[in-house]
Amino acid sequence: MALPELKTRHAFFTGKGGVGKTSLSCATGLAMAEAGACVLIVSTDPASNLDEVLGTTLSQTPTAIPGVPGLFALNIDPEAAARDYRERMVGPYRGVLPTAAIQSMEEQFSGACTVEIAAFDEFSKLLGDPAATQEFDHVIFDTAPTGHTLRLLTLPTAWDEFIASSTGGASCLGPLAGLQKQKALYAATVERLADPDETSVILVSRPDASALREAERTRGELADLGVRNIQLTINGLFAAASPGDAIADAMTRRAADALNRMPATLTGLPGSTIPFLPRGTVGIEALRVMAQPETAITPDIAERTSIRLPPGLHQIVEEIAASGRGVIMTMGKGGVGKTTLAAAIAIALAKRGLPVLLSTTDPAAHVSAAVAEGVAGLRVTRIDPALEVRQYTDEVLKKAGDTLDAAGRAMLEEDLRSPCTEEIAVFRAFARTVDEGRDGFVVLDTAPTGHTILLLDAAEAYHREVMRTQGDMPESVRQLLPRLRDPEYTRTLIVTLAEATPVHEAERLQDDLIRAGVKPYAWVINQSLLASGTHDPLLSERGVYEVPYIRRVVDELAERCALIPWLAEAPTGTQGLSNLIQ
């Protein structure tokens, strides 16, 4: 059986970015609807592409998918949810409290924390309140990339504990009464997540080591949360029809090696496998092929195409190196190779004798795994949320705590127990890391798109939070937005694949960045089979499929563009990463 078998009413599809969670959740929902069930697919991803995969414009209410009776979908829009949540909390007090008090309340609801809790509020209604989805037989959640998903799944407990321990009248979430009303709903959400008769979790992975490593980490953390009903789906498994093509043989070998080395805890899970599909998985007909891969038509001979390909990454690295210092940020949809590319650029700069710091703001960081060996002049770090929260809490209590009476100190400690503190602490660390670009190079492997944009948006709202708890603002935070907007200080590389969803999402990212005053420096199209030199019929078919997306990036979207082929030698270790640049 190709698709996972779902016997529970609720199901989560989760995994490393780019493994195909959205396509698989949609194909599964489509198959269930066509078998007679009534199914709702929900995206909780801030960078959702559910609309594109289903070919339908969605909103925050269930939308019927044309041509598929019984299939509905909706997006939880974090920004819209935040606006609704803000007005729900503040609205009743307009005309009752003084204007200054209303303004203070609105400020408390202006940061990234409100976006997160508002989105979770919508999520809880769908999972914790049976009446909200009573007309559906199954509710499928297409969740965000893993770091965000794990935070989402732990929020029910985190917020519930915060509510239980709060004694003051307000927190960084606004009036506590607004949360107290939700306490029963959050408790029901926690209970339903851990009930194996109610909820299944499908770990989605590509047949490669990094995705399987992420799947295992997720499995362990889900188990710690009490979630036991877990399945594993391997998506995009390729096996060469006949040996002799270097790229096809390498792809076959890498997949087999990764699966052979899969931890026993994963091999013991109920599983399913989706084969490599060369024509993508966007649109209802493509999803039907994903559900029934035996209906796909396999070409007998390799297709040919003629297109002038962009150059490799070498020239862009030379231009960056010539500047002598600054920040390089790799950004894009999860799974496009941001981490690998960031590591390759960092190694290339260090090999030129330049001081380099390689770091990440991604909650599901992988940079340390990408650079296994030491390279002279290269430091590798990650922003650890737990450590940053401890340091930030200690600093605030030391600076402000001694000047407060017992009631004031208790209220401050209450604020610092809130999960919102993590946003502030991680943001300060991000600003501190960018500050190091004054004296050398900082290469930042950033989080998936939605998280990154929320992080950048927080730059303008951050000072309100820090003024409430600390009374001053670090100089690195004060300088952050000007530095991100300075093309001589920060160079942003948008990373994509030559496929529909990654290119369209990268285009939206570029629009968001430009609106924020950040002009992308270059685009990098990664893992191109068209440029790989393969003659395998199936892989060549995928190469032809890439052509319109390469042309769109080169002709319409990018001032500078580099293209990296799919390489027979895996881009791991110093030499493998160096090959990406050369």
Side-chain angles (χ1 to χ4, degrees):
M1 181 178 177
L3 295 176
E5 185 177 4
L6 300 184
K7 297 180 179 179
T8 57
R9 185 165 186 270
H10 301 99
F12 283 83
F13 285 74
T14 189
K16 187 177 185 290
V19 295
K21 298 183 297 292
T22 300
S23 297
L24 186 61
S25 62
C26 289
T28 303
L30 172 64
M32 296 170 79
E34 293 189 328
C38 190
V39 181
L40 175 65
I41 303 174
V42 179
S43 175
T44 63
D45 192 338
S48 173
N49 63 321
L50 195 59
D51 305 57
E52 184 169 28
V53 172
L54 291 171
T56 305
T57 300
L58 303 176
S59 67
Q60 291 201 93
T61 58
T63 299
I65 306 304
V68 189
L71 185 62
F72 298 78
L74 68 83
N75 280 320
I76 293 178
D77 181 339
E79 296 295 341
R83 287 193 298 271
D84 294 344
Y85 182 83
R86 186 183 303 119
E87 187 55 33
R88 200 161 63 245
M89 293 297 102
V90 177
Y93 299 96
R94 297 188 193 280
V96 178
L97 297 179
T99 301
I102 295 296
Q103 290 175 343
S104 175
M105 290 173 66
E106 288 177 337
E107 280 202 355
Q108 291 185 43
F109 286 111
S110 64
C113 293
T114 298
V115 175
E116 186 166 21
I117 188 61
F120 176 69
D121 206 43
E122 297 299 312
F123 160 78
S124 292
K125 291 174 190 173
L126 296 171
L127 187 64
D129 180 6
T133 57
Q134 61 184 353
E135 67 266 39
F136 301 103
D137 300 312
H138 296 276
V139 182
I140 294 175
F141 292 91
D142 166 36
T143 57
T146 310
H148 179 91
T149 298
L150 290 174
R151 181 158 171 74
L152 184 68
L153 291 175
T154 57
L155 271 173
T157 302
W159 291 120
D160 192 58
E161 289 174 354
F162 177 56
I163 293 168
S165 63
S166 293
T167 55
S171 72
C172 64
L173 299 175
L176 188 60
L179 287 180
Q180 288 284 15
K181 295 174 184 176
Q182 304 296 83
K183 189 173 181 180
L185 177 62
Y186 291 176
T189 303
V190 175
E191 183 179 349
R192 195 150 282 124
L193 280 171
D195 186 344
D197 295 324
E198 285 276 354
T199 302
S200 305
V201 176
I202 293 84
L203 297 177
V204 186
S205 178
R206 296 286 183 186
D208 67 67
S210 64
L212 287 166
R213 186 165 54 243
E214 183 74 12
E216 168 57 17
R217 187 178 74 86
T218 305
R219 183 210 58 76
E221 296 192 9
L222 288 171
D224 291 342
L225 292 169
V227 179
R228 297 287 189 274
N229 189 350
I230 303 175
Q231 302 180 37
L232 175 68
T233 295
I234 303 297
N235 188 25
L237 180 62
F238 176 82
S242 58
D245 182 271
I247 300 299
D249 291 347
M251 191 176 288
T252 302
R253 184 173 60 252
R254 279 193 218 171
D257 288 348
L259 294 176
N260 287 336
R261 296 177 184 177
M262 188 164 56
T265 44
L266 288 182
T267 57
L269 296 175
S272 55
T273 301
I274 308 291
F276 177 86
L277 299 171
R279 288 287 171 178
T281 50
V282 173
I284 296 299
E285 289 308 314
L287 294 173
R288 287 193 175 108
V289 172
M290 192 176 195
Q292 297 177 301
E294 66 278 4
T295 63
I297 300 173
T298 303
D300 296 324
I301 59 172
E303 291 189 57
R304 299 291 180 210
T305 187
S306 176
I307 177 178
R308 184 185 176 94
L309 296 176
L313 197 56
H314 178 78
Q315 184 58 41
I316 287 176
V317 171
E318 288 294 326
E319 292 174 8
I320 291 173
S323 66
R325 63 167 193 148
V327 174
I328 300 100
M329 296 199 300
T330 57
M331 301 180 73
K333 178 178 167 61
V336 297
K338 298 185 302 293
T339 301
T340 300
L341 188 64
I345 293 171
I347 288 173
L349 293 172
K351 283 189 170 182
R352 286 164 170 77
L354 300 163
V356 182
L357 171 65
L358 171 63
S359 189
T360 183
T361 62
D362 193 335
H366 311 289
V367 288
S368 58
V371 184
E373 313 117 72
V375 176
L378 174 62
R379 290 182 294 137
V380 181
T381 66
R382 70 176 286 257
I383 294 173
D384 181 343
L387 176 62
E388 296 300 334
V389 166
R390 285 197 301 273
Q391 292 178 344
Y392 175 72
T393 300
D394 291 346
E395 180 182 331
V396 172
L397 287 174
K398 182 178 180 181
K399 180 171 286 190
D402 293 341
T403 64
L404 299 172
D405 59 19
R409 185 178 177 88
M411 185 169 289
L412 176 59
E413 289 175 343
E414 175 185 308
D415 261 358
L416 293 171
R417 285 198 304 273
S418 161
C420 294
T421 299
E422 182 178 311
E423 291 287 344
I424 302 170
V426 169
F427 186 78
R428 288 192 347 148
F430 173 70
R432 193 168 61 240
T433 304
V434 168
D435 185 60
E436 295 203 34
R438 293 180 302 159
D439 304 314
F441 281 105
V442 174
V443 182
L444 276 167
D445 164 39
T446 57
T449 309
H451 180 90
T452 301
I453 295 301
L454 291 178
L455 190 65
L456 293 176
D457 283 347
E460 297 185 351
Y462 173 86
H463 73 279
R464 288 190 288 268
E465 288 295 337
V466 79
M467 289 296 289
R468 288 193 320 106
T469 57
Q470 197 176 348
D472 61 8
M473 183 189 299
E475 185 61 22
S476 61
V477 172
R478 196 182 307 278
Q479 293 295 327
L480 179 60
L481 265 185
R483 284 171 172 164
L484 294 179
R485 289 168 172 160
D486 181 357
E488 299 299 318
Y489 192 95
T490 300
R491 291 170 176 83
T492 299
L493 305 182
I494 293 183
V495 188
T496 188
L497 305 177
E499 300 174 18
T501 298
V503 168
H504 295 160
E505 189 160 311
E507 184 176 0
R508 290 196 296 269
L509 168 61
Q510 176 162 269
D511 291 342
D512 287 341
L513 289 171
I514 291 172
R515 278 197 293 272
V518 179
K519 185 178 180 181
Y521 180 74
W523 281 56
V524 180
I525 303 172
N526 198 17
Q527 299 173 8
S528 169
L529 282 165
L530 181 64
S532 69
T534 182
H535 297 287
D536 178 87
L538 207 60
L539 299 185
S540 295
E541 185 181 6
R542 170 55 69 91
V544 173
Y545 171 80
E546 293 177 355
V547 170
Y549 305 109
I550 294 174
R551 282 182 172 154
R552 175 153 179 77
V553 172
V554 172
D555 297 341
E556 302 177 43
L557 299 174
E559 285 192 9
R560 295 179 185 84
C561 182
L563 184 141
I564 299 174
W566 200 99
L567 300 173
E569 180 183 346
T572 56
T574 301
Q575 187 56 52
L577 290 167
S578 296
N579 289 343
L580 286 180
I581 306 298
Q582 298 166 3

